[in-house]
Amino acid sequence: MIERYTRPGMGAVWTDENRYRKWLDVELAVCEAWAKLGRIPPAALREIRDKAGFSVKRIDAIERVVKHDMIAFLTSVAEKVGPSSRYVHLGLTSYDVVDTALSLLIRESLQMVLRPLKDLHRLLKRQALRHKRTVCMGRTHGVHAEPVTFGFKVLVWYEEIGRHIARLTRAVETISVGRISGSVGTYIHLDPRVERIALRKLGLAPAKVSTQVLQRDRHAEVLSALALLASTIEKFAVEIRHLQRTEVLEVEEPFTKGQKGSSSMPHKKNPVRCERISGLARLVRANAQVGLENVALWHERDISHSSAERVVFPDSFILADFLIAEALDIIGHWTVHPKRMRANVEATRGLIFSQSVLLALTSRGLAREEAYRLVQRNSLEAWERGLDFRELVAADPDVAGLLDRAALDACFSVDPYLDKIDFIFERVFRR
């Protein structure tokens, strides 16, 4: 078991205070770059460093008048700095600051997502190993197929989360760029060295070419990676929801002391947290669509993306952070019922071994089509009359003439279904 997952919320990254702090970080990095190139006097740089600050309330008040957030921000900073503020924002356009700062915010958020995601990856490995040989029913189309193990199910999840870690790591690289290249990206009022020096201080790489904005395919990649992650976590939740159904009852999400499942039916233990995951994952996927539509801007830039990004990035990261935390707690504290799993394996009275009988008959020389006909004939009779499939095939003279009791016993054993489980686990964990 793991302790309930708690840490500072993702929401703190996306406050106005932190956004403006990142803007100021960019402005100060640019001032230092200009100072290194001799454009800003050392005394003025010291004054800017010592006095630079802002007031969110003051920015809001100014913006209500000027209707421009960057101008409102710069006015608030100038009020703090005084005369040396004439060197702040030197040669820049708004999105030199806004887009570079947005990259910092997204990178910080991705790193915050990756930490618990790696915890989830480790937890899934532990659960997969714990239930490596816990036999349960494999299902296709929701119908009993052939036996697997519960650890095998979780191993599939583990491998999938590993791919998400790789995607989000690539997304960090994709978004770890900035631009300080002026109104349309041609450095007309800037020295390209300012960009290189300032971005190095911020830990970002310069975009090799940009317009007035960083190109939005980068941002769409981030939102798409988050949407894929949310879809996988929903996949886990949907599986648990099915396995918690009364007639299945193989796994249950945590039901804590004092919890109540229904206002009218005291017996209810509903998979409400997994259902909540399904609902919230839809929002993250919808936000990815916004990111894709933001790629196509007019010419060197329009502002249609800006308002939407102020919603979709905070929401997607906050939701992803929450979904990971929920998955950690649910999978770390779920109740697994191995006996019920084994009972469900036996529920169809041997029907799940139909392929084993089919292959045994073909190994004795029977044509596949004829073997299929014999096995399906007995399978359908077992389904329709509620009979034992093994007893039916044992009594079928067309089958008994080819398969003796020992051969039939081998067909109806679970053991062969576990033969390759070690191989699969070793292949996954070998790297």
Side-chain angles (χ1 to χ4, degrees):
M1 304 292 279
I2 64 167
E3 297 301 318
R4 183 174 289 276
Y5 185 67
T6 57
R7 63 184 181 83
M10 177 70 75
V13 177
W14 294 96
T15 60
D16 287 342
E17 176 73 30
N18 195 45
R19 176 163 58 97
Y20 293 137
R21 176 58 54 190
K22 292 294 190 293
W23 287 12
L24 187 58
D25 289 343
V26 175
E27 294 282 6
L28 291 174
V30 171
C31 286
E32 291 186 16
W34 275 126
K36 284 185 178 181
L37 297 177
R39 183 71 181 273
I40 297 179
L45 179 63
R46 284 195 298 272
E47 185 174 27
I48 292 169
R49 281 174 172 168
D50 292 343
K51 296 182 179 180
F54 57 85
S55 163
V56 174
K57 288 184 179 179
R58 179 62 178 144
I59 293 171
D60 290 344
I62 299 168
E63 188 177 359
R64 281 193 290 271
V65 177
V66 301
K67 304 297 191 292
H68 194 292
D69 55 359
M70 180 56 64
I71 293 173
F73 166 76
L74 291 170
T75 302
S76 178
V77 172
E79 290 172 349
K80 302 278 188 184
V81 172
S84 293
S85 64
R86 67 184 183 276
Y87 295 110
V88 176
H89 207 67
L90 192 62
L92 303 184
T93 191
S94 297
Y95 260 69
D96 286 319
V97 179
V98 173
D99 255 10
T100 300
L102 181 58
S103 292
L104 294 173
L105 291 170
I106 294 172
R107 183 179 65 181
E108 181 179 352
S109 298
L110 284 169
Q111 290 167 342
M112 288 182 69
V113 164
L114 277 165
R115 285 193 290 272
L117 191 60
K118 291 174 182 177
D119 291 339
L120 179 59
H121 200 221
R122 287 187 287 270
L123 172 63
L124 289 171
K125 180 177 182 178
R126 292 198 298 273
Q127 292 285 24
L129 290 170
R130 179 178 301 163
H131 294 287
K132 181 179 179 181
R133 304 190 78 79
T134 302
V135 177
C136 68
M137 201 60 242
R139 298 172 175 90
T140 57
H141 306 276
V143 179
H144 286 202
E146 291 185 320
V148 294
T149 73
F150 188 59
F152 171 81
K153 279 179 178 279
V154 179
L155 186 69
V156 172
W157 299 0
Y158 166 86
E159 182 74 357
E160 194 161 337
I161 289 296
R163 291 194 294 275
H164 288 298
I165 290 171
R167 286 189 193 101
L168 290 169
T169 301
R170 287 195 299 271
V172 171
E173 181 179 354
T174 297
I175 205 62
S176 291
V177 298
R179 62 164 310 278
I180 301 170
S181 52
S183 299
V184 289
T186 58
Y187 303 94
I188 188 63
H189 302 296
L190 281 162
D191 185 324
R193 291 176 295 173
V194 169
E195 179 182 60
R196 185 177 69 251
I197 295 168
L199 293 182
R200 184 186 301 124
K201 180 174 179 61
L202 297 168
L204 300 175
K208 292 180 179 179
V209 61
S210 69
T211 58
Q212 194 180 88
V213 295
L214 290 171
Q215 303 310 290
R216 258 42 202 175
D217 64 293
R218 296 179 183 273
H219 304 75
E221 181 178 335
V222 172
L223 291 168
S224 297
L226 293 175
L228 281 167
L229 171 61
S231 296
T232 285
I233 294 176
E234 184 190 8
K235 168 183 170 177
F236 302 168
V238 169
E239 180 74 11
I240 295 167
R241 287 167 59 190
H242 169 75
L243 296 179
Q244 190 165 331
R245 291 170 58 197
T246 304
E247 58 270 33
V248 180
L249 203 59
E250 295 179 2
V251 178
E252 296 177 89
E253 72 171 40
F255 195 83
T256 57
K257 184 178 181 181
Q259 184 175 342
K260 293 177 172 59
S262 168
S263 63
S264 59
M265 296 171 282
H267 74 278
K268 294 279 279 178
K269 290 170 68 178
N270 302 323
V272 291
R273 294 173 68 184
C274 287
E275 290 170 340
R276 185 188 302 134
I277 286 172
S278 288
L280 295 178
R282 295 166 191 165
L283 295 176
V284 185
R285 286 194 293 271
N287 288 348
Q289 178 68 26
V290 175
L292 294 171
E293 293 184 4
N294 282 346
V295 172
L297 302 179
W298 283 20
H299 307 299
E300 278 59 60
R301 183 250 177 142
D302 67 51
I303 203 170
S304 62
H305 63 94
S306 177
S307 56
E309 286 177 351
R310 296 183 190 213
V311 176
V312 297
F313 275 111
D315 281 6
S316 292
F317 276 112
I318 290 168
L319 287 169
D321 186 61
F322 176 78
L323 293 174
I324 296 168
E326 281 290 274
L328 270 165
D329 193 58
I330 291 169
I331 295 170
H333 297 91
W334 60 15
T335 301
V336 177
H337 299 291
K339 290 182 179 179
R340 180 64 179 228
M341 290 177 176
R342 192 61 185 244
N344 285 337
V345 168
E346 297 167 358
T348 59
R349 303 183 202 181
L351 278 171
I352 59 173
F353 300 106
S354 67
Q355 183 172 195
S356 294
V357 178
L358 168 67
L359 294 176
L361 288 171
T362 59
S363 72
R364 298 298 172 92
L366 199 63
R368 182 180 177 84
E369 285 299 316
E370 178 61 15
Y372 195 102
R373 185 186 66 79
L374 291 178
V375 175
Q376 187 180 48
R377 182 181 69 195
N378 286 283
S379 298
L380 294 177
E381 185 177 359
W383 271 119
E384 292 163 5
R385 298 177 59 194
L387 301 176
D388 185 282
F389 176 65
R390 189 189 188 290
E391 292 179 0
L392 282 176
V393 294
D396 187 326
D398 292 329
V399 175
L402 294 170
L403 301 177
D404 59 21
R405 178 172 294 276
L408 276 178
D409 286 345
C411 291
F412 287 85
S413 172
V414 171
D415 293 341
Y417 294 90
L418 305 181
D419 282 350
K420 308 299 190 305
I421 294 295
D422 285 341
F423 161 76
I424 297 169
F425 270 72
E426 288 168 8
R427 184 168 59 181
V428 169
F429 294 137
R430 186 176 300 144
R431 67 176 183 273

